[in-house]
């Protein structure tokens, strides 16, 4: 039974920890990862263990989070702003695409991982974060103070391709269905009766909320 397998696994782990310094020093998350990934290895390719950090990140993507509304990437050891979502605190504070984040709350971010940057940018709604930005057009850094708000990541991108509307859905999160409806309406308004059809692109979409 499942309970017996669980008991056996715990007994095996406790026995191993009693004789192995390496296992004794390992944190709980590492142990969970090893055990669950081994247990799920023989199942289908969609069964996987999500760590506590992965689960938090997935939940934020699905249901929204307290943040400022930017997309970032790591580029040659620097953290670049890829895009700024419209009508978000970051846009209102003057953050721009291609800005480089060089400081957060007075701390220099050189050497920080992308995950560390994200962790410092996110926080409770209504709290504030101070950013120091390097901008190509200016020699001196730009300093902005941004209030965190509830952010639902954009999962739908629309563009017109001649007489066809192209809609890419990168995952199913809160508001995805509403954004698709808006994209369809936009395609009909832009192209009118000449609209030949829609392409719905779901490539690399990992899924998400079933009701969406």
């Amino acid at each position: 039974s499942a309970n017996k397998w669980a008991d056996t696994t715990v007994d095996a782990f406790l026995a191993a920890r009693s004789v192995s310094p390496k296992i004794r020093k390992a944190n709980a998350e590492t142990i969970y990862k090893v055990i669950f990934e081994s247990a799920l290895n023989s199942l289908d390719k969609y069964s996987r263990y999500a760590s506590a950090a992965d689960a938090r990140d997935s939940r934020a993507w699905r249901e929204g989070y307290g943040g400022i509304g930017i997309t970032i990437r790591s580029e040659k050891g620097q953290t670049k702003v890829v895009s700024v979502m419209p009508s978000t605190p970051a846009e209102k504070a003057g953050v721009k695409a291609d800005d480089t984040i060089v400081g957060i709350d007075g701390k220099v971010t050189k050497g920080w991982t992308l995950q560390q940057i994200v962790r410092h940018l996110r926080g409770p709604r209504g709290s504030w974060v101070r950013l120091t930005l390097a901008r190509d057009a200016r020699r001196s850094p730009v300093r902005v103070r941004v209030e965190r708000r509830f952010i639902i990541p954009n999962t739908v991108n629309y563009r017109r391709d001649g007489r066809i509307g192209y809609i890419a859905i990168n995952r199913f999160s809160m508001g995805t269905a509403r954004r698709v409806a808006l994209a369809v309406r936009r395609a009909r308004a832009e192209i009118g009766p000449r609209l030949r059809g829609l392409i719905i692109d779901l490539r690399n979409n990992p899924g998400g909320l079933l009701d969406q």
Side-chain angles (χ1 to χ4, degrees):
S1 68
N3 287 338
K4 289 295 182 184
W5 274 112
D7 291 342
T8 302
T9 303
V10 171
D11 290 343
F13 165 69
L14 292 174
R17 190 167 66 173
S18 69
V19 295
S20 168
K22 186 176 180 180
I23 293 178
R24 221 168 14 249
K25 289 178 184 175
N27 61 38
E29 193 57 62
T30 303
I31 299 298
Y32 297 152
K33 184 175 169 59
V34 169
I35 291 175
F36 284 115
E37 284 189 350
S38 299
L40 299 174
N41 222 8
S42 61
L43 300 181
D44 62 84
K45 64 181 180 179
Y46 302 106
S47 299
R48 63 182 181 84
Y49 171 68
S51 68
D54 289 340
R56 276 195 303 271
D57 191 48
S58 295
R59 196 175 301 114
W61 268 98
R62 290 194 308 269
E63 301 169 10
Y65 55 88
I68 63 173
I70 61 174
T71 305
I72 58 175
R73 72 163 178 262
S74 184
E75 188 178 285
K76 297 177 181 177
Q78 296 181 317
T79 302
K80 284 272 190 184
V81 177
V82 177
S83 62
V84 181
M85 290 173 63
S87 304
T88 56
E91 185 188 57
K92 292 172 184 174
V95 180
K96 299 182 183 300
D98 291 328
D99 281 350
T100 301
I101 299 175
V102 295
I104 298 178
D105 289 332
K107 298 174 184 174
V108 177
T109 56
K110 187 176 181 181
W112 288 16
T113 64
L114 212 57
Q115 288 76 16
Q116 285 176 299
I117 299 281
V118 169
R119 201 159 56 241
H120 281 78
L121 291 176
R122 291 181 184 174
R125 287 173 270 181
S127 61
W128 293 80
V129 61
R130 290 178 290 116
L131 302 182
T132 305
L133 308 167
R135 192 170 291 166
D136 289 342
R138 296 182 55 157
R139 290 185 179 180
S140 57
V142 177
R143 291 180 174 83
V144 296
R145 189 166 174 261
V146 192
E147 184 180 9
R148 297 182 180 97
R149 291 291 183 190
F150 184 61
I151 303 294
I152 298 178
N154 181 34
T155 55
V156 179
N157 292 292
Y158 163 80
R159 72 168 188 264
R160 178 179 176 175
D161 189 355
R163 292 166 59 191
I164 292 172
Y166 170 85
I167 302 170
I169 308 172
N170 58 43
R171 68 178 68 212
F172 293 96
S173 303
M174 291 286 285
T176 295
R178 179 178 57 82
R179 285 183 168 127
V180 171
L182 289 172
V184 172
R185 283 205 290 271
R186 184 176 165 190
R188 286 176 172 160
E190 281 184 359
I191 306 171
R194 298 176 65 247
L195 177 67
R196 288 184 59 198
L198 298 167
I199 293 175
I200 309 296
D201 189 348
L202 296 172
R203 288 175 296 177
N204 301 314
N205 183 322
L209 297 176
L210 183 61
D211 62 351
Q212 296 295 310

